[in-house]
Amino acid sequence: MKHPGPLFTLLAGALLAGGIGVADLAAGTGAPPVAGAASAVSAASTTTTAPPATTSKPSEPPKPAPPARADYAGKVTGGGASIAVSARDGHAIAYLCDGKKLEAWLQGVTAGGELDLKGAPDASLTGRFDATSVTGTVTVASKTYRFTVPTAKKPAGLYRAAPKVKGKAAKVGWIVQPDGSQVGILTTEEGPTAAPALDPAADTATVDGAPVTAEAISGLTGNGDF
């Protein structure tokens, strides 16, 4: 018997290999890769989680409107002097006093709770007021003071009088603090001195031995110019 030749052997091997491939395809184990399948799997495995939705900050409540009429009194920061401010319907008057020799009257208009007051000589005040306090800076005699003082209810507040001392015109200003204490200056031709005590309940004081009626100052009454 003749043995099969080399050519026959190669053909038989090729047919056997082809048969195995067909069988694998039929069994589903030899399916060729589908184009893009790997990319789809990679995309699925690397799907990113959407970032959490950002929450907006709650809006701040609107600031209350400043009062049309208010009075304030207290001490500047550091306690070197006292200050009183009276605002009335778009106008304001302020008085700074140290009870010895430093004093200044200032006045001006107000808008939206803002203060921009002027006084002589070269005195100025800027600040802001609301229903509870007034805050700002005041410059007098080339020195600047900061302040935040509370509202003042009568009898606290600002007062002035125009008495005569030794027959000549004088002027006096007082600041009555919310705690009842007071400070003021009496100015005569001889210069400034500490003001005599004021009775705010009666709006009177004794100056040079004579009774004097004091005027309660508001943003509508008087301007501090004697």
Side-chain angles (χ1 to χ4, degrees), residues 64-165:
R69 300 186 173 197
D71 298 291
Y72 309 86
K75 294 182 178 181
V76 300
T77 303
S82 294
I83 189 167
V85 178
S86 180
R88 291 290 185 280
D89 301 327
H91 188 264
I93 292 176
Y95 179 56
L96 178 81
C97 170
D98 70 354
K100 300 174 183 177
K101 62 179 181 179
L102 178 69
E103 69 172 348
W105 291 89
L106 307 99
Q107 65 173 321
V109 298
T110 69
E114 300 289 340
L115 293 171
D116 185 8
L117 313 183
K118 304 295 182 182
D122 300 325
S124 62
L125 182 153
T126 58
R128 181 174 180 81
F129 64 94
D130 56 28
T132 61
S133 64
V134 58
T135 298
T137 60
V138 56
T139 300
V140 178
S142 301
K143 187 173 182 179
T144 299
Y145 304 84
R146 296 184 180 276
F147 61 89
T148 297
V149 298
T151 53
K153 302 298 183 183
K154 296 299 182 187
L158 177 58
Y159 299 81
R160 73 174 185 179
K164 288 186 177 296
V165 175

Side-chain angles (χ1 to χ4, degrees), residues 32-43:
V34 178
S39 299
V41 172
S42 176

Side-chain angles (χ1 to χ4, degrees), residues 25-67:
L25 288 174
T29 60
V34 178
S39 299
V41 172
S42 176
S45 63
T46 58
T47 301
T48 57
T49 304
T54 57
T55 56
S56 58
K57 294 182 179 179
S59 58
E60 294 183 1
K63 294 181 179 180

